[in-house]
């Protein structure tokens, strides 16, 4: 066989593997290897679909915000009308009382008032200025002693609020002092006197018992191995109330089983961010994944918390078929979260660069971890504010 025949055979094989395929949306043709799917879409059309999906999500959010604003304006208008009605009633009652008093005092006493008489009266009142020296009493000893006795009398009135016996040290209590400061001062006096009497002033015990310390909202970020090395940017703002729980290899069912154990010590109205589903897309079908998300949603509704789902990231090593499956799940997850009252935050457009993933094509690189941690930290900031 000659060289020319071998070259012709190679070209025929290449023609068999390379086929021209048209996009189902824009109609543009592309040369691809192998047999493409019937519903083939080019990269530009996929990006357009992502943008349309994002726009639809934003429109739904805008509609919900508009409805919330209308409801809030109605509530404020009702409160304003009620307050105006009360103030007008009070003004009318005060005006009637004043008019009745004036009529009672000035009945049968008519006065002729002119402009000149008003000016004369004002000038006369302005001219009568009393001049006296406030410190004249300090010039003699009797005045000084009188000032001292008045100061002691006022000080005793302030101290009369505290039920402390004779011979014990007194603590002056002013209206501007906080309950905590009063409590600390009473403890100090108790230690100095060496007795265990209750030195709390009247009326402060109930106020101290009823005062509750406001606790900050707790934040839990729970997910699979993609959450490695993101705890620093997420918990930097508030390390005491923020937790990152990384479960390597976890699937949606695993998170559902461990969720209540993880959130055992969480307070009310906590913020929960879930990043899970990447491992499910490699083994289970779409219907199975949707059912697992539904079971997880029922578990989350039993907990009094604000829930936000983090979108599944692309997997570069698996090819286009896996990416299409993940995009379908993210699209369904956004609609399902809106229907169930959860939040959804996608990352697909931010992780299109191959350099943000490690060599295995599944986990994130240091740059990708830094980007995901920063995005989750910004999400927590917006959710808490």
């Amino acid at each position: 066989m000659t060289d020319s025949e071998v070259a012709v055979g190679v070209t025929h094989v290449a023609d068999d593997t390379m086929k021209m395929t048209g996009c189902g949306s824009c109609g543009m043709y592309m040369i691809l290897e192998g047999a493409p799917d019937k519903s083939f879409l080019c990269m530009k059309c996929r990006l357009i679909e992502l943008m349309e999906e994002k726009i639809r999500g934003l429109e739904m959010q805008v509609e919900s915000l508009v409805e919330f604003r209308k409801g809030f304006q109605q509530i404020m208008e009702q409160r304003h009308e009620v307050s105006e009605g009360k103030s007008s009633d009070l003004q009318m009652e005060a005006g009637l009382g004043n008019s009745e008093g004036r009529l009672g005092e000035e009945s049968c006493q008519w006065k002729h008032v002119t402009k000149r008489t008003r000016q004369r009266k004002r000038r006369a009142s302005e001219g009568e200025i009393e001049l006296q020296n406030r410190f004249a009493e300090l010039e003699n000893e009797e005045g000084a002693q009188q000032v001292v006795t008045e100061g002691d009398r006022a000080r005793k009135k302030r101290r009369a609020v505290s039920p402390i016996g004779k011979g014990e040290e007194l603590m002056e209590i002013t209206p501007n002092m906080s309950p905590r400061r009063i409590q600390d001062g009473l403890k100090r006096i108790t230690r100095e006197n060496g007795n265990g009497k209750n030195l709390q002033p009247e009326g402060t015990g109930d106020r101290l018992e009823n005062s509750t310390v406001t606790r900050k909202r707790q934040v839990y970020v729970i997910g699979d191995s993609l959450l490695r090395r993101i705890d620093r940017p997420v918990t930097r703002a508030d390390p005491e109330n923020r937790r990152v729980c990384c479960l390597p290899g976890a699937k949606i069912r695993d998170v559902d089983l461990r969720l209540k154990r993880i959130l055992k010590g969480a307070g009310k109205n906590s913020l929960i961010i879930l990043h899970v589903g990447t491992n499910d897309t490699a083994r289970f079908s779409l219907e199975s994944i949707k059912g697992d998300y539904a079971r997880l949603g029922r578990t989350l509704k039993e907990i009094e918390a604000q829930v936000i789902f983090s979108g599944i990231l692309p997997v570069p090593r698996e090819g286009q078929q896996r990416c299409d499956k993940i995009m379908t799940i993210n699209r369904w997850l956004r609609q399902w979260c809106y229907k169930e009252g959860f939040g959804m935050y996608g990352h697909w457009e931010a992780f299109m660069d191959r350099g943000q993933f490690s060599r295995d094509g599944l986990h994130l690189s240091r740059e990708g971890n830094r980007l995901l941690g920063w995005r989750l930290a910004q999400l927590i900031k917006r959710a808490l504010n």
Side-chain angles (χ1 to χ4, degrees):
M1 183 179 292
T2 60
D3 296 336
S4 61
E5 292 177 352
V6 173
V8 170
V10 172
T11 54
H12 283 298
V13 173
D15 293 338
D16 293 336
T17 57
M18 306 293 289
K19 291 187 178 181
M20 184 174 291
T21 306
C23 177
S25 179
C26 63
M28 294 185 66
Y29 288 91
M30 297 179 66
I31 300 174
L32 302 174
E33 295 182 3
D37 298 335
K38 293 182 180 180
S39 59
F40 173 77
L41 295 176
C42 61
M43 183 58 69
K44 294 182 179 180
C45 294
R46 288 174 186 164
L47 293 175
I48 291 172
E49 285 186 358
L50 287 173
M51 292 178 65
E52 291 176 351
E53 180 184 353
K54 196 168 184 179
I55 290 170
R56 285 194 294 270
L58 292 173
E59 288 177 352
M60 290 189 292
Q61 292 179 5
V62 169
E63 291 176 359
S64 61
L65 289 173
V66 169
E67 293 177 358
F68 174 78
R69 187 174 181 181
K70 288 181 180 179
F72 181 77
Q73 288 180 352
Q74 291 178 359
I75 293 172
M76 294 303 294
E77 288 176 357
Q78 291 176 359
R79 290 184 178 179
H80 186 64
E81 291 175 358
V82 171
S83 62
E84 284 183 352
K86 290 183 178 179
S87 62
S88 61
D89 294 338
L90 292 173
Q91 289 177 1
M92 290 176 63
E93 292 176 0
L96 290 173
N98 294 333
S99 60
E100 289 175 0
R102 289 175 183 174
L103 289 173
E105 293 175 359
E106 298 179 2
S107 58
C108 302
Q109 294 181 4
W110 296 95
K111 294 182 180 180
H112 182 68
V113 180
T114 60
K115 187 176 180 180
R116 292 182 180 179
T117 55
R118 288 182 185 176
Q119 291 179 355
R120 289 173 185 172
K121 288 183 179 179
R122 191 181 298 115
R123 289 172 184 171
S125 61
E126 291 177 355
E128 297 175 359
I129 300 175
E130 296 182 0
L131 300 176
Q132 63 179 3
N133 186 6
R134 294 184 298 167
F135 305 100
E137 296 180 355
L138 298 176
E139 293 178 357
N140 50 12
E141 295 180 358
E142 295 178 358
Q145 290 178 359
Q146 186 179 0
V147 172
V148 171
T149 53
E150 289 179 357
D152 293 339
R153 199 174 300 152
R155 198 175 295 110
K156 287 179 180 179
K157 287 182 180 179
R158 289 196 300 269
R159 292 177 179 176
V161 183
S162 177
I164 304 175
K166 295 182 180 180
E168 298 179 353
E169 183 180 357
L170 300 179
M171 183 182 71
E172 295 186 9
I173 300 173
T174 61
N176 296 328
M177 292 179 67
S178 62
R180 187 180 183 86
R181 189 174 176 185
I182 296 170
Q183 186 77 4
D184 294 340
L186 294 173
K187 289 180 180 178
R188 179 177 57 79
I189 295 171
T190 306
R191 285 197 304 270
E192 292 176 356
N193 293 332
N195 52 18
K197 294 181 180 179
N198 184 15
L199 303 180
Q200 291 185 1
E202 296 177 356
T204 59
D206 299 336
R207 188 167 65 248
L208 292 173
E209 291 177 358
N210 297 331
S211 62
T212 57
V213 179
T214 57
R215 185 180 179 183
K216 292 185 179 180
R217 292 180 63 187
Q218 292 183 325
V219 181
Y220 288 86
V221 182
I222 307 170
D224 48 22
S225 57
L226 291 176
L227 298 182
R228 289 175 181 170
R229 296 188 295 272
I230 69 163
D231 50 347
R232 231 177 237 184
V234 171
T235 61
R236 185 183 292 118
D238 191 1
E240 296 181 358
N241 297 303
R242 296 188 184 185
R243 301 287 184 272
V244 177
C245 183
C246 178
L247 305 173
K251 295 180 283 295
I252 302 173
R253 298 175 184 176
D254 301 329
V255 175
D256 187 15
L257 292 174
R258 301 184 187 180
L259 187 62
K260 291 185 178 180
R261 190 186 309 169
I262 296 171
L263 302 175
K264 189 174 182 180
K268 293 184 178 180
N269 198 20
S270 302
L271 175 62
I272 303 172
I273 299 176
L274 297 170
H275 185 90
V276 66
T278 304
N279 298 318
D280 296 81
T281 58
R283 300 181 181 181
F284 304 116
S285 63
L286 292 175
E287 298 299 327
S288 178
I289 294 172
K290 292 178 182 179
D292 293 341
Y293 271 120
R295 281 190 291 273
L296 180 59
R298 287 193 291 270
T299 304
L300 289 168
K301 286 186 177 181
E302 297 176 0
I303 305 169
E304 296 181 4
Q306 180 183 1
V307 181
I308 300 176
F309 281 88
S310 178
I312 304 174
L313 301 181
V315 183
R317 74 176 184 184
E318 296 295 337
Q320 191 62 40
Q321 186 176 2
R322 178 82 173 273
C323 291
D324 292 341
K325 185 177 181 180
I326 294 173
M327 289 172 62
T328 305
I329 294 172
N330 284 336
R331 194 179 301 114
W332 173 85
L333 182 62
R334 184 179 295 277
Q335 297 175 357
W336 177 77
C337 288
Y338 181 77
K339 180 181 177 182
E340 297 294 331
F342 302 137
M344 199 275 182
Y345 187 61
H347 311 277
W348 190 272
E349 295 85 353
F351 287 88
M352 297 297 292
D353 189 3
R354 182 63 176 80
Q356 294 168 349
F357 294 87
S358 59
R359 293 182 180 179
D360 61 0
L362 175 63
H363 297 93
L364 297 175
S365 61
R366 292 188 178 276
E367 182 182 354
N369 286 324
R370 195 181 300 113
L371 178 59
L372 181 60
W374 178 82
R375 288 177 65 86
L376 292 178
Q378 295 297 318
L379 174 64
I380 292 169
K381 184 179 178 181
R382 291 198 298 269
L384 294 180
N385 293 335

